[in-house]
């Protein structure tokens, strides 16, 4: 098992140096106008699992019997 330190280790002691964030420039600035905004992506509709479909069909059959 790993031992978890009781207090956080400062970065200079742990040997890990914080990185500076890298910013990349647009490779094709002339291809996009200044007011260019990409379309919002739609969330994909999740499919029902086969077990849930089967359960709903069984419930429908039982309801039909008792109606």
């Amino acid at each position: 098992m790993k031992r978890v330190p009781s207090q956080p280790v400062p970065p200079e002691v742990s040997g890990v140096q914080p990185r500076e964030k890298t910013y990349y420039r647009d490779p094709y600035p002339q291809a996009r106008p200044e007011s260019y905004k990409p379309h919002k992506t739609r969330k994909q509709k999740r499919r029902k699992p086969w077990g849930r479909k089967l359960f709903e069909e069984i419930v429908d059959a039982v309801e039909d019997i008792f109606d």
Side-chain angles (χ1 to χ4, degrees):
M1 285 176 73
K2 269 188 167 179
R3 285 178 67 185
V4 179
S6 59
Q7 293 180 345
V9 180
E12 57 272 356
V13 174
S14 67
V16 176
Q17 297 294 328
R19 282 191 187 178
E20 288 187 26
K21 195 170 186 178
T22 305
Y23 294 98
Y24 296 98
R25 65 179 184 83
D26 190 1
Y28 303 104
Q30 70 279 6
R32 292 184 196 90
E34 290 292 324
S35 62
Y36 173 76
K37 292 181 184 175
H39 296 290
K40 289 185 179 179
T41 57
R42 281 187 169 175
K43 288 184 181 177
Q44 284 190 342
K45 198 171 186 183
R46 293 183 70 188
R47 294 176 60 189
K48 284 186 188 176
W50 65 269
R52 188 169 178 181
K53 285 182 186 177
L54 181 66
F55 178 74
E56 288 179 356
E57 287 297 321
I58 293 171
V59 169
D60 285 341
V62 171
E63 285 179 350
D64 291 341
I65 292 171
F66 288 107
D67 279 345

